[in-house]
Amino acid sequence: MPLINFVVELKKMQLLLPHQHLGFCHAPVCAVRRETTDRSEMVTQLTFGETVEIVSQQNHWIEVQSLSDGYHGFVDRRHLIGLSEKEVRTWHDLRTIQQSLALVLDTPWGKQLIPAGSFIGMDSQFNIGNLTFDLHSRPISQSSDELINSFINVPYLWGGKTSFGIDCSGFSQLYYRVIGINLSRDASEQQQAGNSIEIDEALPSDLFFFQNDKGNITHVGIYLGENQIVHASGRVRIDRLEHGNIWNDELAEVTHQFHSIKRYR
């Protein structure tokens, strides 16, 4: 059979310039690494529409700090487009959280699939700086409970924070961002905020934190009520709590040891 030839029109993007100190992530998701190499640990991610401050530039590696949660690391320059301060302020006023698991977005450089956890405009057509984007369909506006249900079985990914892959604190951060509360990125930082709650006072939406043998915070989950918790461990899943500890029926063992509970609203 003859081979089918596909022709793709490549369009140039106006990438971040050396003098620019603000920008946004134009990729569906971008790895933020601890060091300036693709082999370095991914500590978190930037999502489409997320804005950053440029700390320094080293060849094609950009040291950034997210304007959403203050997290810091190194990203590939080719995933960023520069913005002015005025353009950043305008975009922050117009954007919202993308809650559908994935949406097709028309961009100036072609179509791309963007995951839940990205930032999009409130209308089907929106601008970031001087660039125009079009959504193929209206995004789904979900309640926090519907968001949880849609994320069940999304795979665990260290440093992930989208429907393409997510870690425990990325999941709790996204959940609270949807309901209008901006939490820090790491579980240990999330645990430092909020009000402390006793186990017998826990309500749905409270965050349960878990510790290792040294007493360090290593995990977080969202309480659902009736001794059930949803969390990212292998995949986003619902497990039972026993005296605050997470019991995994599949493994027939306690997988996470209770540390504390925090309430944020």
Side-chain angles (χ1 to χ4, degrees), residues 211-225:
Q211 62 187 329
N212 60 17
D213 292 339
K214 297 180 180 180
N216 298 322
I217 304 293
T218 57
H219 194 67
V220 60
I222 304 164
Y223 187 55
L224 299 178

Side-chain angles (χ1 to χ4, degrees), residues 55-259:
V55 179
S56 68
Q57 299 194 35
Q58 304 178 35
N59 298 320
H60 76 277
W61 288 101
I62 304 293
E63 185 180 7
V64 301
Q65 185 169 24
S66 169
L67 296 179
S68 299
D69 58 24
Y71 219 77
H72 174 274
F74 296 91
V75 304
D76 191 315
R77 173 177 176 267
R78 293 163 290 191
H79 290 158
L80 300 178
I81 291 176
L83 294 174
S84 68
E85 291 185 17
K86 181 179 179 181
E87 289 171 334
V88 167
R89 288 195 299 268
T90 299
W91 174 231
H92 284 186
D93 288 341
L94 297 176
R95 70 182 187 177
T96 187
I97 294 292
Q98 204 289 92
Q99 298 178 40
S100 305
L101 282 184
L103 286 177
V104 177
L105 184 68
D106 274 329
T107 77
W109 47 88
K111 290 180 174 60
Q112 63 185 43
L113 191 67
I114 58 169
S118 301
F119 292 91
I120 59 174
M122 297 180 186
D123 298 318
S124 294
Q125 183 179 90
F126 59 92
N127 287 78
I128 308 178
N130 61 1
L131 300 172
T132 300
F133 302 89
D134 286 277
L135 292 166
H136 272 228
S137 59
R138 293 293 301 169
I140 298 173
S141 180
Q142 302 184 101
S143 68
S144 53
D145 290 341
E146 290 169 332
L147 178 74
I148 285 174
N149 289 333
S150 68
F151 264 74
I152 296 297
N153 291 324
V154 166
Y156 178 89
L157 175 65
W158 176 269
K161 59 177 192 179
T162 76
S163 54
F164 293 169
I166 201 161
D167 64 18
C168 64
S169 58
F171 185 48
S172 56
Q173 184 189 53
L174 175 59
Y175 173 84
Y176 269 92
R177 187 169 284 166
V178 165
I179 60 179
I181 298 173
N182 200 31
L183 296 186
S184 298
R185 177 64 178 89
D186 287 341
S188 58
E189 295 174 337
Q190 293 174 3
Q191 195 275 338
Q192 293 171 14
N195 299 310
S196 297
I197 302 297
E198 299 297 325
I199 288 182
D200 60 359
E201 298 174 335
L203 297 174
S205 295
D206 290 345
L207 293 189
F208 274 60
F209 293 90
F210 304 89
Q211 62 187 329
N212 60 17
D213 292 339
K214 297 180 180 180
N216 298 322
I217 304 293
T218 57
H219 194 67
V220 60
I222 304 164
Y223 187 55
L224 299 178
E226 298 182 353
N227 288 321
Q228 288 191 314
I229 193 163
V230 60
H231 63 128
S233 179
R235 65 183 190 275
V236 176
R237 54 183 295 129
I238 296 175
D239 284 315
R240 181 160 46 92
L241 292 170
E242 290 193 352
H243 307 292
N245 305 315
I246 296 180
W247 174 265
N248 185 310
D249 277 334
E250 295 170 358
L251 299 176
E253 66 181 26
V254 169
T255 57
H256 298 86
Q257 296 286 337
F258 174 77
H259 179 276

